[in-house]
Amino acid sequence: LHVLFGFASHGGSYFDIILLLLNFLFLTTIHLLSSFSRSVPIVQAQKGKNVLIGNFSEFKNMERKIIQVENNKIFVFRIDDVVYAVDNACKHQGGPLSEGLLKDNCITCPWHGYQYNMINGKAPFPYHEKINTYKVIRDDNQIWVELPSKKD
């Protein structure tokens, strides 16, 4: 709103002020809607222990889960026959990656569009941000995520 008031005080036309106000309302609305868009199941876990996510046959394609480890959340998801596990928080402003788009080996943050490779956690060139990735173990039909120990 401070942008709107500053713009108005420097002689902006009524049309410009209305357009700016509509953009503000639109952005506020889409941010609020994204916060209600998806409910992802949360599994509680401890550092240094492997966490059972479930049976592979029951973990549907494009399904998402979150592992809560102390104050951190790990986003676990399946695409085709591969299960991935990465940090759930975007490096930009902590947006919930579990609510973002999964496409072309990239996770897109729903807040501001930051992207990360789902295999290695790296942002595309020219950016240098990286989210943590976690080893996923498939033992027969069970899916486990290996969590780092407290030393890591």
Side-chain angles (χ1 to χ4, degrees), residues 20-96:
L20 192 60
L21 185 58
L22 288 173
N23 280 324
F24 171 77
L25 291 173
F26 173 74
L27 288 173
T28 302
T29 302
I30 63 172
H31 272 80
L32 288 173
L33 288 176
S34 74
S35 68
F36 299 112
S37 65
R38 186 180 314 245
S39 175
V40 180
I42 297 177
V43 176
Q44 298 294 325
Q46 296 176 356
K47 280 186 177 180
K49 296 190 177 191
N50 292 350
V51 179
L52 177 63
I53 299 302
N55 290 329
F56 184 80
S57 58
E58 296 171 359
F59 195 40
K60 299 179 185 102
N61 191 36
M62 301 302 284
E63 187 173 346
R64 302 155 188 245
K65 291 187 179 183
I66 292 176
I67 302 172
Q68 178 80 42
V69 184
E70 295 175 1
N71 293 329
N72 299 323
K73 290 183 180 177
I74 298 171
F75 171 35
V76 182
F77 54 99
R78 176 181 169 184
I79 298 180
D80 298 325
D81 287 336
V82 182
V83 178
Y84 301 92
V86 300
D87 281 342
N88 191 43
C90 176
K91 292 290 186 180
H92 176 227
Q93 288 187 346

Coordinates of all heavy atoms in Angstrom, one line a residue, residues 20-96:
L20 N -3.1 0.0 -10.2 CA -2.1 -0.4 -9.2 C -2.8 -1.1 -8.0 O -2.4 -2.1 -7.6 CB -1.3 0.8 -8.7 CG -0.1 0.5 -7.8 CD1 0.9 -0.3 -8.6 CD2 0.5 1.8 -7.4
L21 N -4.0 -0.6 -7.6 CA -4.8 -1.2 -6.6 C -5.3 -2.5 -7.0 O -5.3 -3.5 -6.2 CB -5.9 -0.2 -6.2 CG -6.8 -0.7 -5.0 CD1 -5.9 -0.9 -3.7 CD2 -7.9 0.3 -4.7
L22 N -5.8 -2.7 -8.2 CA -6.3 -4.0 -8.7 C -5.1 -5.0 -8.7 O -5.3 -6.2 -8.4 CB -6.9 -3.8 -10.1 CG -8.2 -3.1 -10.1 CD1 -8.7 -2.9 -11.6 CD2 -9.3 -3.9 -9.3
N23 N -3.9 -4.6 -9.1 CA -2.8 -5.5 -9.1 C -2.5 -6.0 -7.7 O -2.2 -7.1 -7.5 CB -1.6 -4.8 -9.8 CG -1.6 -4.8 -11.3 OD1 -2.1 -5.8 -11.9 ND2 -1.1 -3.8 -11.9
F24 N -2.5 -5.0 -6.8 CA -2.3 -5.4 -5.4 C -3.3 -6.4 -4.9 O -3.0 -7.4 -4.3 CB -2.3 -4.1 -4.5 CG -2.3 -4.4 -3.0 CD1 -1.1 -4.8 -2.4 CD2 -3.5 -4.3 -2.3 CE1 -1.1 -5.0 -1.0 CE2 -3.5 -4.6 -0.9 CZ -2.3 -5.0 -0.3
L25 N -4.6 -6.2 -5.2 CA -5.6 -7.1 -4.8 C -5.5 -8.5 -5.4 O -5.7 -9.5 -4.8 CB -7.0 -6.5 -5.1 CG -7.4 -5.3 -4.3 CD1 -8.7 -4.7 -4.8 CD2 -7.5 -5.7 -2.8
F26 N -5.1 -8.5 -6.7 CA -4.9 -9.7 -7.4 C -3.7 -10.5 -6.8 O -3.9 -11.7 -6.5 CB -4.6 -9.5 -8.9 CG -4.1 -10.7 -9.7 CD1 -5.1 -11.6 -10.0 CD2 -2.8 -10.9 -10.0 CE1 -4.7 -12.8 -10.7 CE2 -2.4 -12.0 -10.7 CZ -3.4 -13.0 -11.1
L27 N -2.6 -9.9 -6.5 CA -1.4 -10.6 -5.9 C -1.8 -11.1 -4.5 O -1.4 -12.2 -4.1 CB -0.2 -9.7 -5.9 CG 0.4 -9.4 -7.2 CD1 1.5 -8.4 -7.1 CD2 1.0 -10.7 -7.8
T28 N -2.5 -10.3 -3.7 CA -2.9 -10.7 -2.4 C -3.8 -12.0 -2.5 O -3.6 -12.9 -1.7 CB -3.6 -9.6 -1.7 OG1 -2.7 -8.5 -1.6 CG2 -4.0 -10.0 -0.3
T29 N -4.7 -11.9 -3.4 CA -5.6 -13.1 -3.6 C -4.9 -14.3 -4.0 O -5.2 -15.4 -3.4 CB -6.7 -12.7 -4.6 OG1 -7.4 -11.5 -4.2 CG2 -7.7 -13.8 -4.8
I30 N -4.0 -14.3 -5.0 CA -3.4 -15.5 -5.4 C -2.4 -16.1 -4.3 O -2.3 -17.3 -4.1 CB -2.6 -15.4 -6.7 CG1 -1.5 -14.4 -6.7 CG2 -3.6 -15.1 -7.8 CD1 -0.6 -14.3 -7.9
H31 N -1.8 -15.2 -3.5 CA -1.0 -15.7 -2.4 C -1.9 -16.4 -1.3 O -1.5 -17.4 -0.8 CB -0.2 -14.5 -1.7 CG 1.1 -14.3 -2.4 ND1 1.2 -13.6 -3.6 CD2 2.4 -14.7 -2.0 CE1 2.5 -13.5 -3.9 NE2 3.2 -14.2 -3.0
L32 N -3.0 -15.8 -1.0 CA -3.9 -16.4 -0.1 C -4.5 -17.7 -0.6 O -4.5 -18.7 0.2 CB -5.0 -15.5 0.3 CG -4.7 -14.3 1.2 CD1 -5.8 -13.3 1.3 CD2 -4.2 -14.7 2.5
L33 N -4.8 -17.8 -1.8 CA -5.4 -19.0 -2.4 C -4.3 -20.1 -2.4 O -4.6 -21.3 -2.2 CB -5.9 -18.8 -3.8 CG -7.2 -18.0 -3.9 CD1 -7.6 -17.7 -5.4 CD2 -8.3 -18.7 -3.2
S34 N -3.1 -19.8 -2.7 CA -2.0 -20.8 -2.7 C -1.8 -21.4 -1.4 O -1.4 -22.6 -1.3 CB -0.7 -20.2 -3.3 OG -0.1 -19.4 -2.4
S35 N -2.1 -20.7 -0.3 CA -1.9 -21.2 1.0 C -2.9 -22.3 1.4 O -2.7 -23.1 2.2 CB -1.9 -20.1 2.1 OG -3.1 -19.5 2.2
F36 N -4.1 -22.3 0.7 CA -5.1 -23.2 0.9 C -5.2 -24.3 -0.2 O -6.1 -25.1 -0.2 CB -6.5 -22.5 1.0 CG -6.6 -21.5 2.1 CD1 -6.7 -20.2 1.8 CD2 -6.6 -21.9 3.4 CE1 -6.7 -19.2 2.8 CE2 -6.6 -21.0 4.4 CZ -6.7 -19.6 4.1
S37 N -4.3 -24.3 -1.1 CA -4.4 -25.1 -2.3 C -4.2 -26.6 -2.1 O -4.8 -27.4 -2.8 CB -3.4 -24.6 -3.4 OG -2.1 -24.9 -2.9
R38 N -3.4 -27.0 -1.2 CA -3.1 -28.5 -1.1 C -2.8 -28.9 0.3 O -2.1 -28.2 1.1 CB -1.9 -28.7 -2.0 CG -1.5 -30.1 -2.1 CD -0.2 -30.1 -3.0 NE -0.4 -29.3 -4.2 CZ -0.4 -29.7 -5.4 NH1 -0.3 -31.0 -5.6 NH2 -0.5 -28.9 -6.4
S39 N -3.4 -30.0 0.7 CA -3.1 -30.5 2.0 C -2.2 -31.7 1.9 O -2.6 -32.7 1.2 CB -4.4 -30.9 2.7 OG -4.2 -31.6 3.9
V40 N -1.0 -31.7 2.4 CA 0.0 -32.7 2.3 C 0.1 -33.4 3.6 O 0.4 -32.8 4.6 CB 1.3 -32.1 1.8 CG1 2.4 -33.2 1.7 CG2 1.1 -31.3 0.5
P41 N 0.0 -34.8 3.6 CA 0.2 -35.5 4.9 C 1.6 -35.3 5.5 O 2.6 -35.2 4.8 CB 0.0 -37.0 4.5 CG -0.5 -37.0 3.1 CD -0.2 -35.6 2.5
I42 N 1.7 -35.2 6.8 CA 3.0 -35.0 7.5 C 3.3 -36.2 8.4 O 2.5 -36.7 9.1 CB 2.9 -33.7 8.4 CG1 2.7 -32.5 7.5 CG2 4.2 -33.6 9.2 CD1 2.5 -31.2 8.3
V43 N 4.5 -36.7 8.2 CA 5.0 -37.8 9.0 C 6.1 -37.3 10.0 O 7.0 -36.6 9.6 CB 5.7 -38.9 8.1 CG1 6.3 -40.0 8.9 CG2 4.7 -39.4 7.1
Q44 N 6.0 -37.6 11.3 CA 6.9 -37.1 12.3 C 8.1 -38.1 12.3 O 8.0 -39.3 12.2 CB 6.3 -37.1 13.7 CG 5.1 -36.1 13.8 CD 5.5 -34.7 13.6 OE1 6.6 -34.3 14.1 NE2 4.7 -33.9 13.0
A45 N 9.4 -37.5 12.5 CA 10.6 -38.3 12.4 C 11.6 -37.7 13.3 O 11.5 -36.6 13.7 CB 11.1 -38.5 11.0
Q46 N 12.7 -38.5 13.5 CA 13.9 -38.0 14.3 C 15.1 -38.1 13.4 O 15.2 -39.0 12.5 CB 14.1 -38.9 15.5 CG 13.0 -38.8 16.5 CD 13.2 -39.8 17.7 OE1 14.2 -40.5 17.7 NE2 12.4 -39.7 18.7
K47 N 16.1 -37.2 13.6 CA 17.3 -37.2 12.9 C 18.0 -38.5 13.1 O 18.0 -39.1 14.2 CB 18.2 -36.0 13.3 CG 17.9 -34.7 12.7 CD 18.9 -33.7 13.1 CE 18.6 -32.4 12.4 NZ 19.6 -31.4 12.8
G48 N 18.8 -38.9 12.1 CA 19.6 -40.1 12.2 C 18.9 -41.4 12.0 O 19.4 -42.5 12.2
K49 N 17.6 -41.4 11.8 CA 16.8 -42.6 11.6 C 16.2 -42.6 10.2 O 15.8 -41.6 9.7 CB 15.7 -42.7 12.6 CG 16.3 -42.8 14.0 CD 15.2 -43.2 15.0 CE 15.8 -43.3 16.4 NZ 14.9 -43.9 17.3
N50 N 16.1 -43.8 9.6 CA 15.3 -43.9 8.4 C 13.9 -43.9 8.6 O 13.4 -44.4 9.6 CB 15.7 -45.2 7.7 CG 17.1 -45.2 7.2 OD1 17.8 -44.2 7.2 ND2 17.6 -46.4 6.7
V51 N 13.1 -43.2 7.7 CA 11.7 -43.0 7.9 C 10.9 -43.8 6.9 O 11.2 -43.7 5.7 CB 11.3 -41.6 7.8 CG1 9.8 -41.4 8.0 CG2 12.0 -40.8 8.8
L52 N 10.0 -44.7 7.3 CA 9.2 -45.4 6.4 C 8.1 -44.5 5.9 O 7.3 -43.9 6.6 CB 8.5 -46.6 7.1 CG 7.6 -47.5 6.3 CD1 8.3 -48.1 5.1 CD2 6.9 -48.5 7.1
I53 N 8.0 -44.3 4.6 CA 7.0 -43.5 3.9 C 5.8 -44.3 3.6 O 4.7 -43.8 3.7 CB 7.6 -42.9 2.6 CG1 8.8 -42.0 3.0 CG2 6.5 -42.1 1.9 CD1 8.5 -40.9 3.9
G54 N 6.0 -45.6 3.3 CA 4.8 -46.4 3.0 C 5.2 -47.4 1.9 O 6.4 -47.6 1.5
N55 N 4.2 -48.1 1.4 CA 4.4 -49.1 0.3 C 4.4 -48.4 -1.0 O 3.6 -47.5 -1.2 CB 3.3 -50.1 0.3 CG 3.4 -51.1 1.5 OD1 4.5 -51.3 2.0 ND2 2.3 -51.6 2.0
F56 N 5.4 -48.8 -1.8 CA 5.5 -48.1 -3.2 C 4.2 -48.3 -3.9 O 3.8 -47.3 -4.6 CB 6.7 -48.7 -3.9 CG 6.9 -48.1 -5.2 CD1 7.6 -46.9 -5.3 CD2 6.4 -48.6 -6.4 CE1 7.8 -46.3 -6.5 CE2 6.6 -48.0 -7.6 CZ 7.3 -46.8 -7.7
S57 N 3.6 -49.4 -3.9 CA 2.3 -49.7 -4.6 C 1.2 -48.8 -4.2 O 0.3 -48.5 -4.9 CB 1.9 -51.1 -4.6 OG 1.8 -51.5 -3.2
E58 N 1.2 -48.3 -2.9 CA 0.2 -47.4 -2.4 C 0.5 -45.9 -2.5 O -0.3 -45.1 -2.3 CB -0.1 -47.8 -0.9 CG -0.6 -49.2 -0.7 CD -0.7 -49.6 0.7 OE1 -0.2 -48.8 1.6 OE2 -1.1 -50.7 1.0
F59 N 1.8 -45.6 -2.8 CA 2.2 -44.2 -3.0 C 2.0 -43.9 -4.4 O 2.8 -44.2 -5.3 CB 3.7 -44.1 -2.6 CG 4.2 -42.7 -2.3 CD1 3.4 -41.8 -1.7 CD2 5.5 -42.4 -2.7 CE1 3.9 -40.5 -1.4 CE2 6.0 -41.1 -2.5 CZ 5.2 -40.2 -1.8
K60 N 0.9 -43.2 -4.7 CA 0.5 -42.9 -6.1 C 1.4 -42.0 -6.8 O 2.1 -41.1 -6.2 CB -0.9 -42.4 -6.1 CG -1.9 -43.3 -5.5 CD -3.3 -42.7 -5.5 CE -4.3 -43.5 -4.8 NZ -4.6 -43.1 -3.5
N61 N 1.4 -42.1 -8.1 CA 2.2 -41.1 -8.9 C 1.7 -39.7 -8.7 O 0.5 -39.4 -8.6 CB 2.0 -41.5 -10.4 CG 3.0 -40.7 -11.3 OD1 4.1 -40.5 -11.0 ND2 2.5 -40.3 -12.5
M62 N 2.7 -38.8 -8.5 CA 2.5 -37.4 -8.2 C 2.0 -37.1 -6.7 O 1.6 -36.0 -6.4 CB 1.5 -36.7 -9.2 CG 2.0 -36.8 -10.6 SD 3.7 -36.0 -10.9 CE 3.3 -34.3 -10.8
E63 N 1.9 -38.2 -5.9 CA 1.5 -38.0 -4.5 C 2.7 -37.3 -3.8 O 3.8 -37.5 -4.1 CB 1.2 -39.4 -3.9 CG 0.6 -39.2 -2.5 CD 0.2 -40.6 -1.9 OE1 0.0 -41.5 -2.7 OE2 -0.1 -40.6 -0.7
R64 N 2.3 -36.6 -2.7 CA 3.3 -35.8 -1.9 C 3.1 -36.1 -0.5 O 1.9 -36.2 0.0 CB 3.0 -34.3 -2.2 CG 3.1 -33.9 -3.6 CD 2.3 -32.6 -3.9 NE 2.3 -32.4 -5.3 CZ 2.8 -31.3 -5.9 NH1 3.5 -30.4 -5.2 NH2 2.8 -31.2 -7.2
K65 N 4.2 -36.1 0.3 CA 4.2 -36.3 1.7 C 5.3 -35.4 2.3 O 6.2 -35.0 1.6 CB 4.4 -37.7 2.1 CG 3.3 -38.6 1.8 CD 3.5 -40.0 2.4 CE 2.3 -40.9 2.0 NZ 2.4 -42.2 2.6
I66 N 5.1 -35.0 3.6 CA 6.1 -34.2 4.2 C 6.6 -35.0 5.5 O 5.8 -35.6 6.2 CB 5.6 -32.9 4.7 CG1 5.3 -32.0 3.4 CG2 6.5 -32.1 5.6 CD1 4.6 -30.7 3.7
I67 N 7.9 -35.0 5.7 CA 8.5 -35.6 6.9 C 8.9 -34.4 7.8 O 9.7 -33.5 7.3 CB 9.8 -36.4 6.6 CG1 9.4 -37.5 5.6 CG2 10.4 -37.0 7.9 CD1 10.7 -38.3 5.1
Q68 N 8.4 -34.3 9.0 CA 8.7 -33.3 9.9 C 9.9 -33.8 10.8 O 9.7 -34.8 11.5 CB 7.5 -32.9 10.8 CG 7.8 -31.9 11.9 CD 7.8 -30.5 11.3 OE1 6.9 -30.1 10.5 NE2 8.7 -29.7 11.8
V69 N 11.0 -33.2 10.7 CA 12.2 -33.5 11.5 C 12.6 -32.3 12.3 O 13.2 -31.4 11.8 CB 13.4 -34.0 10.6 CG1 14.5 -34.5 11.5 CG2 13.0 -35.1 9.7
E70 N 12.3 -32.3 13.6 CA 12.5 -31.2 14.5 C 11.9 -29.9 13.8 O 10.7 -29.9 13.6 CB 14.0 -31.0 14.8 CG 14.5 -32.2 15.6 CD 16.0 -32.2 15.9 OE1 16.7 -31.2 15.5 OE2 16.5 -33.1 16.5
N71 N 12.7 -28.9 13.5 CA 12.1 -27.7 12.9 C 12.1 -27.7 11.4 O 11.8 -26.7 10.7 CB 12.8 -26.5 13.4 CG 12.6 -26.2 14.9 OD1 11.5 -26.6 15.4 ND2 13.6 -25.7 15.5
N72 N 12.6 -28.8 10.8 CA 12.7 -28.9 9.3 C 11.6 -29.8 8.7 O 11.2 -30.8 9.3 CB 14.1 -29.4 8.9 CG 15.2 -28.5 9.4 OD1 15.1 -27.3 9.4 ND2 16.3 -29.1 9.8
K73 N 11.3 -29.5 7.5 CA 10.3 -30.3 6.7 C 11.0 -30.8 5.5 O 11.7 -30.0 4.8 CB 9.1 -29.5 6.4 CG 8.2 -29.2 7.6 CD 6.9 -28.5 7.2 CE 6.1 -28.2 8.4 NZ 4.9 -27.5 8.1
I74 N 10.8 -32.1 5.2 CA 11.3 -32.7 4.0 C 10.2 -33.1 3.1 O 9.2 -33.7 3.6 CB 12.2 -34.0 4.4 CG1 13.4 -33.5 5.2 CG2 12.7 -34.7 3.1 CD1 14.2 -34.7 5.8
F75 N 10.2 -32.7 1.9 CA 9.2 -33.0 0.9 C 9.5 -34.2 0.1 O 10.6 -34.4 -0.5 CB 9.1 -31.7 0.0 CG 8.2 -31.9 -1.2 CD1 7.1 -32.6 -1.2 CD2 8.6 -31.2 -2.4 CE1 6.3 -32.7 -2.3 CE2 7.8 -31.3 -3.5 CZ 6.6 -32.0 -3.5
V76 N 8.6 -35.2 0.2 CA 8.8 -36.5 -0.5 C 7.7 -36.6 -1.5 O 6.5 -36.4 -1.2 CB 8.7 -37.7 0.5 CG1 8.9 -39.0 -0.2 CG2 9.7 -37.5 1.7
F77 N 8.1 -37.0 -2.7 CA 7.1 -37.1 -3.8 C 7.5 -38.2 -4.8 O 8.7 -38.6 -4.9 CB 6.9 -35.8 -4.5 CG 8.2 -35.2 -5.0 CD1 8.5 -35.3 -6.3 CD2 9.0 -34.5 -4.2 CE1 9.7 -34.7 -6.8 CE2 10.2 -33.9 -4.6 CZ 10.5 -34.0 -5.9
R78 N 6.5 -38.7 -5.5 CA 6.7 -39.8 -6.5 C 6.4 -39.2 -7.9 O 5.3 -38.6 -8.1 CB 5.9 -41.0 -6.2 CG 6.0 -42.1 -7.2 CD 5.1 -43.3 -6.9 NE 5.1 -44.1 -8.1 CZ 4.4 -45.2 -8.2 NH1 3.6 -45.6 -7.2 NH2 4.4 -46.0 -9.3
I79 N 7.3 -39.5 -8.8 CA 7.0 -39.2 -10.2 C 7.4 -40.5 -11.0 O 8.5 -40.9 -11.0 CB 7.9 -38.0 -10.8 CG1 7.5 -36.8 -10.0 CG2 7.7 -37.8 -12.3 CD1 8.2 -35.5 -10.4
D80 N 6.3 -41.1 -11.6 CA 6.5 -42.3 -12.3 C 7.0 -43.4 -11.3 O 6.4 -43.6 -10.3 CB 7.3 -42.2 -13.6 CG 6.7 -41.2 -14.6 OD1 5.4 -41.2 -14.7 OD2 7.4 -40.5 -15.2
D81 N 8.1 -44.0 -11.6 CA 8.7 -45.0 -10.8 C 9.8 -44.6 -9.8 O 10.5 -45.4 -9.3 CB 9.2 -46.2 -11.6 CG 8.1 -47.0 -12.2 OD1 7.0 -47.0 -11.7 OD2 8.3 -47.6 -13.3
V82 N 9.9 -43.3 -9.7 CA 11.0 -42.7 -8.8 C 10.4 -41.9 -7.7 O 9.5 -41.1 -7.9 CB 12.0 -41.8 -9.7 CG1 13.1 -41.3 -8.8 CG2 12.5 -42.6 -10.9
V83 N 11.0 -42.1 -6.5 CA 10.5 -41.3 -5.3 C 11.7 -40.4 -5.0 O 12.9 -40.8 -4.9 CB 10.2 -42.2 -4.1 CG1 9.8 -41.3 -2.9 CG2 9.0 -43.1 -4.5
Y84 N 11.4 -39.1 -4.8 CA 12.4 -38.1 -4.4 C 12.2 -37.5 -3.0 O 11.0 -37.5 -2.6 CB 12.3 -36.9 -5.4 CG 12.6 -37.3 -6.9 CD1 11.5 -37.6 -7.7 CD2 13.8 -37.3 -7.4 CE1 11.7 -38.0 -9.0 CE2 14.0 -37.7 -8.7 CZ 13.0 -38.0 -9.5 OH 13.1 -38.3 -10.8
A85 N 13.2 -37.0 -2.4 CA 13.1 -36.3 -1.1 C 14.0 -35.1 -1.1 O 15.2 -35.2 -1.3 CB 13.4 -37.3 0.0
V86 N 13.4 -33.9 -0.8 CA 14.2 -32.7 -0.8 C 13.7 -31.8 0.3 O 12.6 -32.0 0.9 CB 14.1 -31.9 -2.1 CG1 14.6 -32.7 -3.3 CG2 12.6 -31.5 -2.4
D87 N 14.4 -30.8 0.7 CA 13.9 -29.8 1.7 C 12.6 -29.2 1.1 O 12.5 -29.0 -0.1 CB 15.0 -28.7 1.9 CG 16.1 -29.0 2.8 OD1 16.0 -30.0 3.5 OD2 17.1 -28.4 2.7
N88 N 11.7 -28.9 2.0 CA 10.4 -28.3 1.6 C 10.5 -26.8 1.5 O 9.6 -26.2 0.9 CB 9.3 -28.7 2.6 CG 8.0 -28.4 2.1 OD1 7.7 -28.6 0.9 ND2 7.1 -27.9 2.9
A89 N 11.5 -26.1 2.1 CA 11.5 -24.7 2.1 C 12.4 -24.1 0.9 O 13.5 -24.5 0.8 CB 12.1 -24.2 3.4
C90 N 11.8 -23.2 0.2 CA 12.5 -22.5 -0.9 C 13.6 -21.6 -0.2 O 13.4 -21.0 0.8 CB 11.5 -21.7 -1.7 SG 12.3 -20.7 -3.0
K91 N 14.8 -21.5 -0.9 CA 15.9 -20.7 -0.3 C 15.6 -19.2 -0.5 O 16.2 -18.4 0.2 CB 17.2 -21.0 -1.1 CG 17.7 -22.4 -0.8 CD 18.2 -22.5 0.6 CE 18.9 -23.8 0.8 NZ 19.4 -23.9 2.2
H92 N 14.6 -18.8 -1.3 CA 14.3 -17.4 -1.5 C 13.7 -16.8 -0.3 O 14.2 -15.9 0.3 CB 13.5 -17.2 -2.8 CG 13.0 -15.9 -3.1 ND1 11.8 -15.5 -3.4 CD2 13.7 -14.7 -3.1 CE1 11.6 -14.2 -3.6 NE2 12.8 -13.7 -3.4
Q93 N 12.4 -17.3 0.0 CA 11.7 -16.8 1.2 C 11.0 -17.8 1.9 O 10.0 -17.6 2.6 CB 10.7 -15.7 0.7 CG 11.4 -14.4 0.3 CD 10.4 -13.3 0.0 OE1 9.2 -13.5 -0.1 NE2 10.9 -12.1 -0.1
G94 N 11.5 -19.1 1.8 CA 10.9 -20.2 2.6 C 9.6 -20.7 2.1 O 8.9 -21.4 2.9
G95 N 9.2 -20.4 0.9 CA 8.0 -20.9 0.3 C 7.9 -22.5 0.4 O 8.9 -23.2 0.3
P96 N 6.7 -23.0 0.5 CA 6.5 -24.5 0.6 C 6.6 -25.2 -0.7 O 5.6 -25.1 -1.5 CB 5.1 -24.6 1.2 CG 4.4 -23.4 0.7 CD 5.4 -22.3 0.6

